[in-house]
Amino acid sequence: MINKLTLQNFCVSYGTKSVIDAMNGEFFVGAVNLVVGRAGSGKSSLLLAMAGFHKEFSGSIATDGDKFIPDGNFSLTFQNPESLFFNPTVGDEIEFSLRMLNFPASQIRSEAENWLRRWGLEPDLYYHRHPFELSGGEKRRVALAACTVARMPLILLDEPLAGLDGSGQKSLASILESLAREHIVVVVTHEPEIFLTPTSNILFLREGQGSWFNGNDFLRQALTDNLFYPLPEWYYTAVRPYKNEPFLPVINAVEVGKFLQKAGQPCS
Amino acid sequence: MQLGYQPGNSFLYAFNPLVKGVLCLAAIMFFSLNSFGVALMAGILAAMLLTAWLGRLPLKEILLSIKKIAVLLLIVSLVQGFRGNGFELEPAFEAILRIVGVFLVAGFYLVVSPQSELMYFWEVVFRPLSFFRLPARELALVMVIAVRFLPVMLAEIDRIRMAQTARGARLGKAGIFSTAAAIMPLMIPTLAQAIIRAEELAEAMEARGYRVAGVRTRYQQYTFKPADIMAGIFAILTISAAIYSRL
């Protein structure tokens, strides 16, 4: 098990263009780690560099003091779920990671089916279908299930919310929250409010520089300065009255949404 | 980075497409057939690289693409190198030179030839088949699509490799035998993807008016210049020399 991942003087570049400049900080177990920032700020590049797919980086990544080598110990979902598919059936896609980790053969099928069900896809309906035949949201769920089924020590997700409906987003937030108890989960997203908790670890990337926040501080900053990070209007309206409280009461969008629905207010 | 047509205006780009194709085939035949020995073949390879440099081709990219066939080169050199009395360096090196030569020639040809020129060349090559009522233009199109989609298929292999690594596969750190074994699981998904892509391409072409039996005109008109004739003679001499060296 890896407890924390430490970035030291971490720089990512494309040729002569620097995307992330001498960043220091930590991702850790216990809460979902979020990476936010505008398009082109280097979020996806950071994940690709951590996974070893993008080679133009300098600095180091350490795990509990040792150098981190990405080799069979991480999973990564790409922005485009189709980039992840190469098997003829959904079942094969889900089973792949388990086979790679030498999971007991007799348990692979049942484990894969259970995990698929956890992501809201009934195995009887989906297990033998070709991944490319599915709808956008179903593809996303299959990709997420395929990447998380093996519960790797480091789980990297690049914009996992895209294409998911409301229930899919709730499942995702709930599954990632439970995975984050024992694994390092790093999520690149444009909708951090879905995952926010007061203890969330947030890396905010802007103009090559990384700033680290906990959920409470990030939200307070966003409520104070709309240019810092634009929150959805309904969420902003719901949370703004509490911005001067020492601790913001409920900051997870799913909970805020439930609260607003009970109060009879729109939350779209 | 995958090799494909890169616009340019040097003398290598200016040849008639037919001459470019014949030069490419001549060079491939030369590297496959000749028995001039390692030293002369290395010299010819160097001359070819110099020509490419003078022709302002992206040499660095083309040379770096050799990495993709590193495993093949290693296997072939081992197979060729081991003789009855142990391992011999010369046949191993000769085999490497032959494959690298063919690979580089194909790379140069792809870089200087847009799809329309490739199509024209293969159409001319297949033209005699039309006497036997065979669909020469369609066969040419098949060839062009095959060449055009080679880089796409290589990119597809990279994508599948990344997708597997992203889910716990350990492809890169294994030894030579494990690496060779790891290629097999890539083959079936790649073939499946190729078939899916072929279907999509067919639909896209038909959606834009392509019909198998349709009568088509040609937009580009190609002419022969003195340099083309010289290059054609050079190609014939090259093939003759390679065949002569075998006699």
Side-chain angles (χ1 to χ4, degrees), chain B residues 72-136:
Chain B
L72 174 74
L73 289 177
L74 188 63
I75 293 170
V76 170
S77 62
L78 285 175
V79 170
Q80 292 292 323
F82 277 109
R83 300 289 162 108
N85 50 352
F87 188 79
E88 289 179 26
L89 207 56
E90 195 176 326
F93 196 55
E94 189 180 319
I96 290 176
L97 280 180
R98 284 185 196 279
I99 296 173
V100 169
V102 169
F103 191 79
L104 288 179
V105 166
F108 296 159
Y109 182 53
L110 282 179
V111 166
V112 300
S113 304
Q115 196 162 348
S116 54
E117 291 191 4
L118 292 174
M119 174 80 185
Y120 174 73
F121 172 72
W122 287 110
E123 229 181 276
V124 173
V125 169
F126 285 124
R127 198 169 287 167
L129 294 177
S130 58
F131 291 118
F132 305 102
R133 294 185 175 277
L134 287 169

Side-chain angles (χ1 to χ4, degrees), chain A residues 5-263:
Chain A
L5 204 66
T6 310
L7 305 175
Q8 289 166 330
N9 287 322
F10 201 72
C11 306
V12 181
S13 59
Y14 286 88
T16 53
K17 188 182 175 232
S18 173
V19 181
I20 296 173
D21 199 17
M23 192 175 67
N24 294 291
E26 283 177 354
F27 294 117
F28 45 75
V29 166
V32 175
N33 298 274
L34 300 173
V35 181
V36 297
R38 288 178 190 278
S41 59
K43 305 183 296 297
S44 300
S45 302
L46 174 67
L47 289 201
L48 291 174
M50 287 168 68
F53 293 140
H54 182 71
K55 309 288 184 195
E56 292 178 73
F57 70 87
S58 60
S60 68
I61 310 176
T63 51
D64 303 326
D66 299 323
K67 187 181 177 189
F68 174 72
I69 298 167
D71 182 22
N73 51 1
F74 75 95
S75 65
L76 166 64
T77 48
F78 302 112
Q79 267 180 36
N80 176 6
E82 288 190 1
S83 302
L84 210 64
F85 299 146
F86 57 91
N87 285 299
T89 67
V90 167
D92 289 330
E93 291 291 355
I94 310 293
E95 288 179 10
F96 181 82
S97 283
L98 299 172
R99 293 187 192 285
M100 287 298 107
L101 293 182
N102 293 323
F103 204 77
S106 58
Q107 296 169 30
I108 286 179
R109 176 71 185 256
S110 60
E111 179 68 17
E113 285 188 349
N114 288 338
W115 196 247
L116 196 59
R117 201 172 285 119
R118 179 94 196 267
W119 281 96
L121 298 173
E122 198 49 49
D124 290 345
L125 298 175
Y126 290 94
Y127 211 78
H128 297 291
R129 288 182 67 184
H130 195 288
F132 284 98
E133 290 173 357
L134 306 177
S135 73
E138 289 167 341
K139 280 178 189 163
R140 175 70 63 187
R141 285 172 194 246
V142 171
L144 289 166
C147 278
T148 50
V149 65
R151 283 85 144 181
M152 298 288 190
L154 174 62
I155 299 169
L156 307 168
L157 301 106
D158 196 353
E159 297 190 23
L161 291 163
L164 287 182
D165 55 15
S167 72
Q169 293 190 350
K170 283 178 193 170
S171 301
L172 175 68
S174 145
I175 293 170
L176 293 188
E177 201 180 308
S178 64
L179 284 172
R181 288 184 202 125
E182 292 182 4
H183 309 264
I184 298 178
V185 178
V186 183
V187 179
V188 163
T189 182
H190 287 288
E191 295 157 275
E193 64 277 3
I194 301 292
F195 305 99
L196 271 181
T197 65
T199 55
S200 295
N201 180 34
I202 301 170
L203 168 60
F204 179 61
L205 289 174
R206 184 162 56 181
E207 292 167 4
Q209 302 296 318
S211 316
W212 298 80
F213 296 88
N214 63 37
N216 209 54
D217 292 345
F218 178 81
L219 191 55
R220 197 179 302 282
Q221 177 88 8
L223 288 171
T224 313
D225 176 8
N226 197 36
L227 291 176
F228 167 73
Y229 195 88
L231 294 164
E233 192 59 36
W234 67 273
Y235 185 82
Y236 178 81
T237 308
V239 184
R240 188 179 51 184
Y242 304 97
K243 75 174 180 184
N244 294 322
E245 300 288 325
F247 288 97
L248 295 164
V250 179
I251 57 176
N252 179 297
V254 177
E255 297 303 322
V256 173
K258 279 183 195 166
F259 171 76
L260 286 178
Q261 274 175 340
K262 274 185 195 166

